[in-house]
Amino acid sequence: MNIHEYQAKAILRYFGVPVPEGHVVYNSNSARDWAKRLGDGPWAVKAQIHAGGRGKGGGVKIAKTADEVKQYARQMFGMTLVTHQTGPEGKIVKRVLVEEGSNIADEYYVSFLVDRTTDKVTLMASAEGGMNIEEVAAKTPEKLFFEAIDPVVGLTAFQARKVAFKLGFAMPQVKQAVPVLMNLYKAFVESDCSLLEINPLIQTAEGKLICLDAKLNFDDNALFRHLRIRDLRDYEEEDPMEIEAGQYDLSYISLDGNIGCMVNGAGLAMATMDIIQLHGASPANFLDVGGSATVERVTEAFKIILSDKKVEGILVNIFGGIMKCDVIATGVVEAAKQVGIKIPLVVRLEGTNVDLGKKILAKSGLDIVSADGMADAAEKIVKAVNG
Amino acid sequence: MSILIDKNTKVITQGITGATGLFHAQGARDYGTQMVGGVTPGKGGTSVDGFPIFNTVEDAVKETGATASVIYVPPIGSADAIMEAVDAGIELVICITEGVPVLDMVKVNKYMECRNSRLVGPNCPGVITPGECKIGIMPGYIHKPGPVGVLSRSGTLTYEAVWQLTSRDIGQTTCVGIGGDPVNGTSHLDVLKMFEADPETKAVIMIGEIGGDAEEQAAEYVRDHMSKPVAAFIAGATAPAGKRMGHAGAIISGGKGDAASKKAFLRECGVSVADSPADMAEALLKIWQP
């Protein structure tokens, strides 16, 4: 799960990490009011969307007067912000963060994430702050520093010191950096983050360290023990069909193609997308109905696929293990009755109760093309859609 | 011979009184696996469908002599269940549960250092040695005994590979689902080493996914140490970057872990890579004849 920058900063503040004073606003008048309360300026006015690269798209401005704060905020509200992370359709700005400005002397990069190779949380830092870190990693990997963290002991002071010295801090900043890094680690672990990224961490002209931006992602599987974090979810930032699917425990991701897929199991679902492309078409979605889907869930899955206007044909690919083919077949028939299917439908069933499943489909009277094996299924659906 | 499990393996089920745990314990018993009991705290001394139940894994091991455990405990208690099995001296712990928090697994892996247990999973279909022992949720009848080792991060895609083999009348030594999570117990590399050491395994199908670099590490082992032919498929060529494809581990981040680069590296290492998931068995037969 993703949250907004202002929410991330509130969490970091709770863990004792220095962040700028600021407030989220929902209209331009309160942007000006909050600016006045925050002090004399200058102020940063920042569009809040779940994507990076906001500055380049006009989503981050520095205002010198409170009226300027209002003016920038007015420009931002309702604007469609397109960045390299939003996709070409962009995201509409509905929340704006007004913050006290900082006097930036130097910028640094700090992040924490789980390294799959060491199975440990790893601190990653660089003196190349404010930059695209993937570029730094690709072009100048020697400028990135790593510390793997023992899960029992946590980030130690000496590790934090090592990193601080590598970043080139003088002793007064090293002394600040150690608790900042240790508290960031604490925030990461205690909130079950999957990514915590500070870009940039700045040193002000006055010599103070501040986290100027903050990005927190959370492990969805751990949200059950973080109800207050779960409440921060902003549904307006997400794809409505993915939200709908989530309510039925379906794993759904919408894509650009025109062939809808319904598959059981994440690996087989990805493989089904791949084989559609190998046959010269594109998948409209990733959809895993899971191993223990009921007739109701299968019906809902079908409705979600059909509600996508791009979909011109559907491929159902099921390898029944725990999932029984007759359940899938009943769900398909049920959904077809409820919503009506006017586009080509190819079904490939294999595994538990396959004969029963095929019988149910055949008896339904629906116009269903049945397929043997994945290659046959892909060929048939691509031919039916693209001619 | 086979790897990890055979007809002598005695298995207990942690979470046996839940609907899923009991269903699959019965399925495994029907397949012929020695399912010797289960653990549900508070229900020790009772039994369910002929399975004796114990309060702790320690008690179950003492009474049944089990050396393997399969876990169906919900995510909130999965890590604890794994550590309990490890502490009780269970040699092989297989965690089926999907949705275990990543940081729980970071702790579990630390806990397992310097202990003698092996963990398979979590979020996996389990392990099967066809005709001898089935631990997990895979449909038994699609398998048949034979010379090919199968390993995979995914459940149903493993069934797909197994089915392609079985319908060509080629059997399997052991099929191992290592699970789709970013932090797990047994890796592709671990399983390849076991297949290489197993005299009955003559060839291997390895199924990988986008994300991480576990497949690359396994490929290096194939190149440098493996005498047996290996075929592979990597799922997720069409997956967009930054999106998590169902499996928590299946995500392309920072341009790393995409299918094209994985396939290219596997090919460089001498692995026969299938571009289509329909051709996994064919890819193996290109470089090996049963």
Side-chain angles (χ1 to χ4, degrees), chain A residues 161 164-165 168-178 207 209:
Chain A
R161 243 181 354 252
F165 280 117
F169 285 130
M171 206 51 208
Q173 282 71 44
V174 171
K175 281 183 178 164
Q176 289 177 59
V178 169
L209 296 188

Side-chain angles (χ1 to χ4, degrees), chain A residues 116 119 219 225 264 274 348 351, chain B residues 102 104 109 141 156 236 238 249:
Chain A
R116 306 167 57 138
D119 290 353
D219 177 2
R225 57 189 174 206
N264 65 329
D274 296 347
R348 182 269 179 137
Chain B
V102 175
D104 285 9
N109 278 1
Y141 76 92
T156 43
T238 42

Side-chain angles (χ1 to χ4, degrees), chain A residues 234-341:
Chain A
D234 182 357
Y235 287 93
E236 292 187 353
E237 289 286 325
E238 297 175 28
D239 182 313
M241 281 199 285
E242 290 176 19
I243 297 169
E244 172 86 14
Q247 284 168 354
Y248 293 94
D249 269 334
L250 301 162
S251 179
Y252 174 92
I253 291 163
S254 113
L255 302 166
D256 297 332
N258 58 354
I259 296 180
C261 315
M262 180 161 80
V263 189
N264 65 329
L268 192 61
M270 274 191 281
T272 305
M273 287 158 46
D274 296 347
I275 203 168
I276 288 172
Q277 194 172 56
L278 277 173
H279 283 80
S282 291
N285 64 277
F286 165 97
L287 196 157
D288 172 12
V289 287
S292 52
T294 57
V295 171
E296 192 211 357
R297 264 169 70 184
V298 173
T299 310
E300 289 307 322
F302 230 87
K303 284 191 199 164
I304 289 165
I305 294 174
L306 284 169
S307 69
D308 179 353
K309 297 286 169 266
K310 298 190 304 291
V311 171
E312 294 171 41
I314 298 177
L315 173 55
V316 176
N317 182 19
I318 300 295
F319 206 116
I322 328 167
M323 162 70 86
K324 298 178 184 77
C325 291
D326 54 316
V327 173
I328 285 284
T330 312
V332 170
V333 172
E334 195 58 42
K337 273 188 203 152
Q338 286 185 27
V339 289
I341 300 178

